[in-house]
Amino acid sequence: MSATRSTYLEEEGVFHFHMEHPVPAYLVALVAGDLKPADIGPRSRVWAEPCLLPTAISKLSGAVEQWLSAAERLYGPYMWGRYDIVFLPPSFPIVAMENPCLTFIISSILESDEFLVIDVIHEVAHSWFGNAVTNATWEEMWLSEGLATYAQRRITTETYGAAFTCLETAFRLDALHRQMKLLGEDSPVSKLQVKLEPGVNPSHLMNLFTYEKGYCFVYYLSQLCGDPQRFDDFLRAYVEKYKFTSVVARDLLDSFLSFFPELKEQSVDCRAGLEFERWLNATGPPLAEPDLSQGSSLTRPVEALFQLWTAEPLDQAAASASAIDISKWRTFQTALFLDRLSKCYSSLLDSMNAEIRIRWLQIVVRNDYYPDLHRVRRFLESQMSRMYTIPLYEDLCTGALKSFALDVFYQTQGRLHPNLRRAIQQILSQGLGASAEPASAPSTELASAAADAHSDAQALLLGDEAPSSAISLRDVNVSA
């Protein structure tokens, strides 16, 4: 359980848990299963099914203590005692959840060292921002996610250097701009202070605006004070003042101006075009984005290869591009490249991790590339997290592959988390409103599935209300 102490009375078969600090209700969590523990540091252990335990130990042993120590140097003592991690099955619908003392994380993230690092560090950062100091309402989730993302990147900069942090930030900001294009710049969920008005689904607040636009605002505040270490000192004081309470944006911003009286005298909160109020309540992109030039050593090769593949004449450029070895690239470099490209390196797909495979499979689906559909099916049969399933089902239901999507859903729905199952049903309900007949394809499997698509869809979706507005979640690949 997400608790500071636990005991088990074997003779009674009873577990006792105790949490000595006040926490908001959404952070109370239990997990049960065939889980085995192993220490990975002086105050950390992993819990996992026996088949996963050796991998979890090898990937995280010593690392979590390193990240906790870096966070403590920046933001003050870790106040929760234990920092344990439990690895959950692929059916867990989100990447990770920051339950105090016991971070929940999806086991498939073990495939990717870099995404594992980023996601665990993000949850470590939540120990200060989100768990200790909590947003008072869901309308201001950025107070948790934006600050945690900023803190996560400060920790990675201290631990792995600025270039790696800038690469990860560039990758996420690319995703933010794709999501903005999908939702539209006037989408109400692109505000930092979202109003939960009729037509706004609270679950849609788990989007990249909450994380990345929130991060950009926090980064902007850090730039106003001119020194990231001075801003670290402010955040440490902010946590100390508000720990174990809930806050609103005004608490953070008033504290910021009080901590830096010289900035208050300069009225930085009212600078034309960058007003704090506009940051909070304007729809659309961030008002300012960070300088990522320190990551150029890692992003430049990505851009160079992208330019080759988009150059003319394509046959000559492709020959040059094919000579470039990407096997030594970081996961974020490859993922960033695939996010910007429409066609590349299919033969390498099976040896790569889930973060890279999903990007290629989205290209396969968007281009109706039937020879690789078996890979899409295999992926959806093995990956059951929201971040992997939603993007593919969204793409499948916007083109000629609706009946294929329905068929795969039939085969996998029993293994999906109920909330995720309902979300996919809504996507299918929207997509199957039009004809489910596929374009001519060599697959008899697709043709037979299409024959009964409408009647099957009715039976499948009976009783599940379709959403009133189509808000695409295709690029909402976020952790908690």
Side-chain angles (χ1 to χ4, degrees):
M1 188 178 181
S2 54
T4 49
R5 292 201 307 275
S6 62
T7 57
Y8 175 57
L9 303 178
E10 189 170 358
E11 62 278 9
E12 299 178 18
V14 175
F15 291 87
H16 291 272
F17 301 99
H18 178 77
M19 169 55 77
E20 61 193 77
H21 303 301
V23 296
Y26 76 92
L27 291 176
V28 178
L30 286 159
V31 61
D34 181 18
L35 300 169
K36 305 298 181 186
D39 288 338
I40 54 169
R43 48 186 162 173
S44 301
R45 66 173 60 98
V46 289
W47 294 82
E49 293 176 276
C51 61
L52 291 174
L53 195 59
T55 302
I57 295 169
S58 66
K59 299 235 176 176
L60 288 172
S61 185
V64 172
E65 183 60 29
Q66 181 185 20
W67 302 332
L68 285 170
S69 297
E72 287 184 313
R73 290 192 296 272
L74 293 168
Y75 305 121
Y78 179 73
M79 58 197 79
W80 302 98
R82 301 288 310 174
Y83 188 91
D84 293 352
I85 299 171
V86 58
F87 285 95
L88 301 179
S91 57
F92 190 56
I94 58 174
V95 179
M97 182 62 204
E98 66 270 19
N99 305 306
C101 308
L102 186 65
T103 283
F104 285 31
I105 195 161
I106 191 170
S107 57
S108 54
I109 207 72
L110 285 166
E111 294 181 18
S112 170
D113 291 346
E114 289 177 30
F115 278 84
L116 176 66
V117 164
I118 292 299
D119 284 311
V120 175
I121 292 178
H122 184 86
E123 308 314 323
V124 166
H126 269 308
S127 300
W128 285 262
F129 306 101
N131 294 4
V133 184
T134 307
N135 47 291
T137 77
W138 293 121
E139 295 180 325
E140 293 192 311
M141 278 185 66
W142 77 273
L143 281 169
S144 171
E145 299 301 349
L147 282 164
T149 301
Y150 178 86
Q152 161 213 311
R153 289 174 181 154
R154 287 289 292 127
I155 296 167
T156 58
T157 298
E158 293 293 307
T159 310
Y160 300 105
F164 175 75
T165 300
C166 288
L167 170 64
E168 186 260 337
T169 305
F171 166 75
R172 300 293 188 192
L173 289 177
D174 255 32
L176 172 69
H177 288 289
R178 286 197 311 276
Q179 187 170 96
M180 186 169 56
K181 185 176 180 180
L182 288 164
L183 300 182
E185 292 196 11
D186 59 349
S187 170
V189 299
S190 66
K191 296 180 181 180
L192 291 185
Q193 284 188 328
V194 181
K195 304 303 179 188
L196 292 179
E197 300 167 333
V200 176
N201 187 331
S203 68
H204 293 158
L205 303 188
M206 288 292 289
N207 62 53
L208 287 169
F209 294 99
T210 300
Y211 291 74
E212 298 303 331
K213 189 174 180 178
Y215 161 76
C216 287
F217 185 29
V218 177
Y219 180 88
Y220 172 70
L221 295 177
S222 74
Q223 294 301 291
L224 286 176
C225 68
D227 181 352
Q229 293 183 345
R230 288 187 71 205
F231 192 67
D232 294 335
D233 292 341
F234 158 68
L235 290 178
R236 181 191 286 248
Y238 165 78
V239 170
E240 182 61 30
K241 178 178 180 179
Y242 290 110
K243 65 182 178 182
F244 308 129
T245 65
S246 297
V247 298
V248 296
R250 183 48 53 194
D251 296 319
L252 171 69
L253 298 176
D254 285 349
S255 295
F256 174 77
L257 294 173
S258 296
F259 195 88
F260 299 105
E262 70 278 14
L263 297 180
K264 186 174 183 178
E265 290 178 10
Q266 297 169 23
S267 299
V268 294
D269 55 325
C270 298
R271 285 186 178 175
L274 292 165
E275 299 91 345
F276 288 1
E277 194 65 27
R278 187 176 177 191
W279 270 103
L280 295 175
N281 292 303
T283 60
L287 303 183
E289 293 189 8
D291 175 12
L292 302 179
S293 58
Q294 291 185 80
S296 60
S297 62
L298 296 174
T299 57
R300 196 182 301 114
V302 175
E303 187 61 31
L305 185 56
F306 174 73
Q307 292 298 333
L308 277 175
W309 275 112
T310 54
E312 296 289 347
L314 184 59
D315 54 347
Q316 295 179 17
S320 300
S322 298
I324 296 177
D325 180 14
I326 67 168
S327 63
K328 301 292 191 256
W329 277 13
R330 294 174 179 266
T331 294
F332 281 119
Q333 288 176 290
T334 309
L336 181 62
F337 171 68
L338 290 178
D339 278 346
R340 295 181 179 183
L341 202 58
S342 62
K343 244 174 147 176
C344 191
Y345 300 116
S346 178
S347 61
L348 298 177
L349 181 69
D350 290 335
S351 64
M352 294 187 174
N353 61 57
E355 288 293 338
I356 295 174
R357 290 205 307 276
I358 189 175
R359 286 167 172 81
W360 173 251
L361 293 176
Q362 286 181 275
I363 295 170
V364 166
V365 170
R366 291 170 187 176
N367 290 278
D368 299 330
Y369 187 63
Y370 292 100
D372 269 358
L373 280 186
H374 68 284
R375 298 183 181 200
V376 177
R377 176 183 290 278
R378 190 163 66 239
F379 187 85
L380 288 172
E381 288 174 345
S382 62
Q383 301 289 348
M384 296 182 184
S385 166
R386 184 183 187 90
M387 71 177 290
Y388 297 131
T389 53
I390 290 291
L392 279 175
Y393 275 107
E394 284 269 356
D395 284 330
L396 286 166
C397 286
T398 58
L401 299 173
K402 302 178 182 71
S403 56
F404 174 81
L406 187 62
D407 184 53
V408 175
F409 179 70
Y410 273 147
Q411 302 300 319
T412 59
Q413 61 174 322
R415 304 199 299 275
L416 297 172
H417 187 281
N419 288 347
L420 178 58
R421 186 164 61 244
R422 284 192 291 271
I424 295 172
Q425 285 174 321
Q426 290 184 337
I427 293 170
L428 290 167
S429 176
Q430 289 176 287
L432 291 166
S435 171
E437 292 293 331
S440 57
S443 171
T444 56
E445 175 190 55
L446 287 181
S448 62
D452 296 319
H454 286 296
S455 59
D456 288 346
Q458 278 189 326
L460 176 67
L461 303 173
L462 186 63
D464 286 283
E465 183 180 353
S468 57
S469 60
I471 297 182
S472 174
L473 302 177
R474 182 182 295 116
D475 288 306
V476 188
N477 287 358
V478 296
S479 58

